[in-house]
Amino acid sequence: MKVLYTAEAHVTGGRVHGHGRTVGGELDVDIRLPKELGGEGGATNPEQLFAVGYAACFEAALTLVGQRKNLEEQDTSIDAKVMLIPIENGRFKLGVELDITLPSIKDAEQAANLVREAHRICPYSNATRGNIDVALVVNGVPLED
């Protein structure tokens, strides 16, 4: 297997009173439990970091697919939600919603197909497939499988 890139980070203190830093220092953040979960808030948390990472990765996949199809879609925006969901026996799972806006692509089916193809190649989508429910919304319309 050929590795194209490896991200490295070091975290101490977990999600309650943690601190995370990438090896090169590009990302240096305090990590806190959100107030909604009984924490002090005031810093980022793993769900927020996952939401930003997934949205950024998905947008890059959209750009790649758009280039392959000669589509202009540089004005794309993605609003990402990552939900922490309790399940049985004190366990938790994640849910994701990506609300993708493609203003330059007026044809609804063309926009939906672009998002479907991006979802097939996005590394985050491939990592979550079968593990996390991911809902996709394209130009305000929920995407059906």
Side-chain angles (χ1 to χ4, degrees), residues 34-101:
K35 288 182 180 183
E36 296 86 348
L37 296 176
E40 65 186 55
T44 194
N45 60 64
E47 293 76 26
Q48 290 173 336
L49 294 168
F50 192 80
V52 169
Y54 199 161
C57 188
F58 200 91
E59 194 280 332
L62 282 167
T63 298
L64 179 62
V65 172
Q67 289 170 346
R68 290 177 180 171
K69 294 181 175 286
N70 294 317
L71 294 173
E72 292 290 327
E73 51 71 50
Q74 287 85 8
D75 54 355
T76 299
S77 66
I78 300 174
D79 293 313
K81 294 179 185 177
V82 173
M83 290 77 67
L84 183 62
I85 304 164
I87 56 175
E88 72 280 346
N89 300 323
R91 298 181 305 141
F92 299 90
K93 71 176 189 173
L94 296 177
V96 172
E97 180 180 301
L98 299 179
D99 189 344
I100 302 140
T101 303

Side-chain angles (χ1 to χ4, degrees), residues 23 26 35 43 50-51 58 61 69 99 105 120 124 129 145:
V23 171
E26 298 85 358
K35 288 182 180 183
F50 192 80
F58 200 91
K69 294 181 175 286
D99 189 344
I105 302 179
R120 281 192 288 276
Y124 274 70
R129 192 168 286 112
D145 288 334

